[in-house]
Amino acid sequence: MAAGKTYETNDKELLRRTMNVARMEQDAADVVNYLRNRFHRQKIFIVGHSWGSMLGLWLAHEHPEWIYAFVGTGQAVSMQENEVAGYRIVLQTARDRHNELAIKELESVAPYPRPVQISTKRTW
């Protein structure tokens, strides 16, 4: 796993080469197919939270024949907008609490998040 407490213990070069959206989509498809085979079912239910909700939408779009239903919780629509909103909330909380150190640190990374180039690869 390359998140949480294990992130720092992983090989950074390996993560750079393997932690990408295409790999995560393939991993999600592999898990779904494992479950379909394991439980002898043509279709299964998918529940995705946050980033998993985006992978779940991808699965539903690309492989509707595998899925009875998709349930998105904490449905992510725009990760960029999610980060913008989170940053604003945290900065406002620091200001409301008069936490000058937090304000200074948060403002030092502004604008956050940095603008990203939107890929036009996807058609959905």
Side-chain angles (χ1 to χ4, degrees):
M1 200 64 167
K5 292 180 180 180
T6 64
Y7 182 79
E8 289 300 319
T9 64
N10 285 283
D11 180 319
K12 300 302 181 256
E13 179 56 26
L14 178 62
L15 291 177
R16 187 190 66 71
R17 290 191 324 267
T18 61
M19 286 283 288
N20 57 63
V21 174
R23 175 64 181 265
M24 292 177 199
E25 290 170 346
Q26 184 59 54
D27 288 349
D30 290 346
V31 169
V32 167
N33 279 316
Y34 168 80
L35 293 171
R36 290 172 61 228
N37 290 323
R38 169 73 172 82
F39 295 105
H40 309 289
R41 299 287 185 254
Q42 290 297 313
K43 294 184 175 191
I44 65 170
F45 292 90
I46 302 290
V47 177
H49 176 73
S50 191
W51 172 245
S53 72
M54 295 185 83
L55 290 173
L57 283 175
W58 173 83
L59 277 166
H61 182 268
E62 295 297 315
H63 301 287
E65 71 280 8
W66 296 349
I67 300 170
Y68 277 119
F70 164 68
V71 178
T73 64
Q75 183 67 54
V77 176
S78 169
M79 297 304 278
Q80 182 77 3
E81 287 301 314
N82 191 50
E83 290 296 312
V84 167
Y87 176 79
R88 287 181 185 154
I89 291 167
V90 171
L91 181 57
Q92 187 58 53
T93 300
R95 288 178 175 150
D96 292 347
R97 294 181 180 177
H98 307 288
N99 185 334
E100 296 304 321
L101 177 60
I103 294 167
K104 181 179 177 182
E105 289 177 348
L106 288 163
E107 288 178 343
S108 76
V109 298
Y112 181 85
R114 302 250 187 260
V116 295
Q117 180 70 28
I118 303 298
S119 171
T120 58
K121 177 182 173 188
R122 298 270 185 250
T123 59
W124 48 277

